[in-house]
Amino acid sequence: MTGRRALPALFSDDVLRRFLDAAAAEYVFITPDAPRPCFGVLLGTVADDALLVSDIAFGRNARTTDPSARAEFATTIVPRFGSAYENAVRAWWFAPEDLLRVSRAADERGLDILGSIHLHPDWHRLGPACERDRPLSDRPTPMDEYVFRSAGWPLNVVCYLERQHGGFYYSLAAWDGDCAPLSLRVHASAAAVSV
């Protein structure tokens, strides 16, 4: 990634809506023992001046079923990022067979896997007491930075979602594979913009 010009991410409003719907569905089941992750793969094309995100794909979390995932968490993630990652529902490992299916389907449509989007809930309110002083946001955690660098995808989006005053509120931020911030813009439909 180093040396490349950072391209802004131009995001489909439909992709964002689909992710927010999935994230809100997981959010309602979050308990102090179950962070309930939500993760999607972003599909689109690379133009001369932007990363064009036009679709999203979801897959299964193989964190507890894939031996490679269990080994990575036991030998690398937990020692490096802390015992919080011993919780089997914390963090995401996209099932390899699902990633292969997504990649093949994207190829058939002339799309590339551009990166990922994942949920950061207001865990400092919902999680156990030991998490109260570690608020999440739309910024990557040290664990996220590790994943972004390991994946090498040009686009990684963090969606912070919280429930306040009877509704959901969110913020988004985009990062490249070196964890440098990227400009992110969401498409505004003609109905939403009046000139």
Side-chain angles (χ1 to χ4, degrees), residues 44-187:
T45 55
V46 179
D48 289 338
D49 60 348
L51 301 169
L52 305 172
V53 178
S54 58
D55 205 354
I56 186 170
F58 297 97
R60 291 168 294 150
N61 186 358
R63 164 85 200 275
T64 59
T65 59
D66 185 288
S68 298
R70 286 197 310 266
E72 173 83 7
F73 274 84
T75 62
T76 304
I77 304 300
V78 172
R80 188 170 181 179
F81 301 107
S83 61
Y85 289 98
E86 290 174 347
N87 184 327
V89 258
R90 188 168 188 156
W92 190 270
W93 183 290
F94 206 90
E97 59 274 15
D98 289 351
L99 188 57
L100 181 59
R101 174 187 47 80
V102 167
S103 179
R104 286 178 174 162
D107 283 345
E108 289 174 7
R109 296 171 54 207
L111 301 176
D112 296 313
I113 294 178
L114 298 178
S116 67
I117 183 171
H118 75 277
L119 169 66
H120 277 184
D122 50 343
W123 188 235
H124 53 285
R125 292 187 189 106
L126 304 170
C130 63
E131 300 280 346
R132 300 287 191 243
D133 63 341
R134 293 181 230 156
L136 291 173
S137 69
D138 56 15
R139 296 191 57 79
T141 65
M143 167 68 172
D144 292 335
E145 291 181 6
Y146 169 80
V147 171
F148 296 171
R149 287 186 171 100
S150 297
W153 285 333
L155 176 61
N156 304 280
V157 178
V158 179
C159 176
Y160 175 75
L161 183 68
E162 64 183 3
R163 182 184 277 169
Q164 292 215 34
H165 306 289
F168 282 113
Y169 297 87
Y170 72 92
S171 62
L172 295 171
W175 312 89
D176 71 12
D178 289 327
C179 303
L182 294 175
S183 175
L184 183 141
R185 299 177 200 125
V186 178
H187 176 257

